[in-house]
Amino acid sequence: MFDMFCNSVQLFLKGKLFHDLPKVAMLAGVGIGLAAAIVIALVKMGCSLWVAVAAAGFCAGALQPRLFRDLKYR
Amino acid sequence: MTLLNASTNDLNLLSGLLLLLLGLFTGALGGALGGIVVGGSALGNELAAMMGAFFGPVASLPGVLIGLVMLAFLL
């Protein structure tokens, strides 16, 4: 499993993993922005930091496979 | 429940790193679940969960980092 991960990272750094890199970056940005927004909103609503971070991580993480679902690989 | 209370919010280098670690793990957990929901029937549950566990932290880790940095300026 670790080999597969290293292999994927190498392909990504050579720019040969994804077909459409700007789209990947945009979809990742959507998830990143959502996580940041959830952290800030929950803390401003009076939750403690670790509750906000756990909720944001879980929500953004659960959404990301849906966002990356129809990516094209090379 | 003092742990749930906002009064325990002190954001420094150590707690920030621990919170990033928490974000990494919850992101992987959520990603695995989301992967099973999205692709479990097409890829099989194990592969879908593993790919999801890679995808989840892609969003959660930088997102939590940005959120915490912005909060550090706001708080």
Side-chain angles (χ1 to χ4, degrees):
Chain A
M1 192 171 109
F2 193 66
D3 285 348
M4 194 193 86
F5 178 69
C6 286
N7 190 22
S8 300
V9 171
Q10 279 173 7
L11 280 175
F12 176 78
L13 290 178
K14 283 189 235 159
K16 287 183 179 168
L17 182 59
F18 295 116
H19 187 69
D20 189 2
L21 201 58
K23 191 179 170 195
V24 177
M26 196 202 68
L27 288 174
V30 171
I32 290 167
L34 182 84
I38 292 176
V39 170
I40 292 169
L42 281 183
V43 170
K44 284 288 149 195
M45 278 160 57
C47 288
S48 64
L49 277 170
W50 70 271
V51 173
V53 167
F58 188 80
C59 291
L63 192 71
Q64 205 58 31
R66 172 68 189 81
L67 290 173
F68 278 174
R69 186 175 69 173
D70 36 39
L71 280 184
K72 297 203 172 45
Y73 297 93
R74 246 181 241 220
Chain B
M1 288 295 280
T2 56
L3 270 178
L4 286 173
N5 198 305
S7 62
T8 55
N9 282 354
D10 52 335
L11 192 51
N12 52 40
L13 208 58
L14 178 64
S15 70
L17 280 176
L18 286 177
L19 286 167
L20 277 182
L21 212 59
L22 179 67
L24 178 74
F25 280 115
T26 53
L29 184 70
L33 288 178
I36 290 174
V37 170
V38 169
S41 56
L43 295 173
N45 280 346
E46 267 183 44
L47 181 60
M50 205 172 71
M51 286 186 73
F54 286 134
F55 285 162
V58 168
S60 73
L61 200 59
V64 166
L65 178 65
I66 291 173
L68 289 179
V69 167
M70 288 178 79
L71 278 173
F73 286 111
L74 290 175
L75 278 176

